[in-house]
Amino acid sequence: MTEETQKLAVNGGIGFGSKLNARQLATLATYMAEDDELELTTFQQLYVDIPKDQVSEATEAFRAVGLSVYPVGNFVKSLRTCNFCKGSEQEGMPVAKEINERIAGRPVPFTVRAAYTGCAVGCGEPRANDIGVMKMKDTYNLYAGGKAKGIDAQLGEIVLEDATPEELYQAIDRLIDLYAAEGKKREPLAKFVYRYGMDQVRALVAP
Ligand code: SF4
């Protein structure tokens, strides 16, 4: 990224797999020079560098063709999901969309990775991310503190079990509020919850 450009994270929103259609690709290309490159991240996002004076216009154009646009940096990333192989309703796609709507782009001390999976098979790898949600038949489990990278990789621990969607939304909101208020600058959430104390986190997030 040069001084004259701003990096945006773009994807096709939450659906059956991480897909883009031709119109969306063509729209992205209109804001790129011939030699510009798109970066494909491990978090179901594409990074694209947009000239600073075109960011508003490009964001509007991307959204008009159904792309979701998110900031890059110390924010909650868009929700990574599984492919909902058993169907939207059965695997809770509306709940995943609502979570994404509520949390993606919120400012935090360090980038937060949140992952959702529609059943206990766990294709969305919820326990290997800062925040993880796993649908269990008709209820939801919430995990916090997972970390996929590094020699000190670790699994997230259960924070809330057998929750309704509303209980889940509130717990995730509280967890992010707590981390935003109490996390140190550039302290990853997965580190924060263990420094703060998982029991204390549970008491505040899922009272
Ligand atoms: S986690 Fe379950 S619903 Fe989601 S893709 Fe895997 S098997 Fe299918």
Side-chain angles (χ1 to χ4, degrees):
M1 185 168 66
T2 69
E3 276 195 13
E4 298 76 35
T5 63
Q6 182 179 327
K7 198 179 286 299
L8 297 178
V10 177
N11 63 26
I14 290 176
F16 296 106
S18 309
K19 296 173 185 163
L20 296 180
N21 61 37
R23 193 160 167 235
Q24 292 167 337
L25 287 169
T27 306
L28 282 169
T30 60
Y31 289 90
M32 299 171 67
E34 271 195 10
D35 293 331
D36 286 352
E37 295 175 328
L38 277 178
E39 181 184 345
L40 175 60
T41 74
T42 55
F43 224 74
Q44 298 175 335
Q45 292 183 332
L46 292 168
Y47 283 168
V48 56
D49 293 327
I50 301 292
K52 277 190 171 163
D53 59 354
Q54 293 180 29
V55 166
S56 302
E57 178 199 316
T59 301
E60 219 170 285
F62 295 163
R63 288 186 173 143
V65 294
L67 291 167
S68 296
V69 184
Y70 305 99
V72 175
N74 292 332
F75 301 97
V76 180
K77 279 185 167 290
S78 55
L79 190 68
R80 177 181 172 182
T81 66
C82 71
N83 288 347
F84 301 98
C85 72
K86 293 170 189 156
S88 163
E89 288 301 322
Q90 192 179 339
E91 306 311 336
M93 195 193 290
V95 171
K97 285 184 175 172
E98 177 68 22
I99 294 169
N100 189 58
E101 193 68 32
R102 285 172 175 245
I103 68 172
R106 283 178 62 177
V108 277
F110 192 66
T111 310
V112 168
R113 293 172 168 80
Y116 177 98
T117 206
C119 78
V121 173
C123 303
E125 302 174 350
R127 295 197 64 193
N129 285 278
D130 292 300
I131 296 173
V133 176
M134 184 179 278
K135 186 168 190 287
M136 310 293 289
K137 295 196 174 155
D138 297 325
T139 60
Y140 298 83
N141 286 357
L142 173 64
Y143 302 87
K147 178 178 180 298
K149 293 195 294 187
I151 200 161
D152 54 347
Q154 64 196 19
L155 288 178
E157 288 188 20
I158 190 90
V159 169
L160 177 65
E161 211 164 358
D162 291 334
T164 63
E166 197 51 46
E167 289 166 344
L168 179 69
Y169 303 148
Q170 287 178 17
I172 294 173
D173 279 344
R174 287 192 207 106
L175 176 59
I176 293 173
D177 286 347
L178 178 67
Y179 172 52
E182 302 288 339
K184 295 178 188 167
K185 198 173 175 199
R186 296 194 59 76
E187 178 183 37
L189 188 145
K191 199 168 172 188
F192 163 74
V193 289
Y194 289 104
R195 173 178 67 78
Y196 200 80
M198 196 55 91
D199 287 342
Q200 179 75 353
V201 168
R202 284 191 195 98
L204 293 172
V205 164

